[in-house]
Amino acid sequence: MTALRHGLALAGFAVAAAGVALESTRLGWGAIALLAASLIVRLLGRHRDPPAP
């Protein structure tokens, strides 16, 4: 689960950098979608893992 979250976050940052470099709003929205997916995976993982003592 952690690898998926990190992969989505790194891909989101890479797409965001490409969107800024190419001045593309579509890439910007794609980056937002990837980063939001990373956040959702993190929130879902938080509910599945029991709290540490």
Side-chain angles (χ1 to χ4, degrees):
M1 197 65 113
T2 303
L4 174 64
R5 182 172 50 96
H6 286 157
L8 287 170
L10 289 174
F13 284 121
V15 172
V20 170
L22 299 174
E23 297 180 5
S24 172
T25 57
R26 286 188 182 194
L27 286 178
W29 283 109
I32 291 170
L34 286 169
L35 292 170
S38 174
L39 177 64
I40 289 169
V41 169
R42 180 178 178 153
L43 293 175
L44 289 176
R46 180 180 283 180
H47 289 290
R48 290 185 184 172
D49 295 336

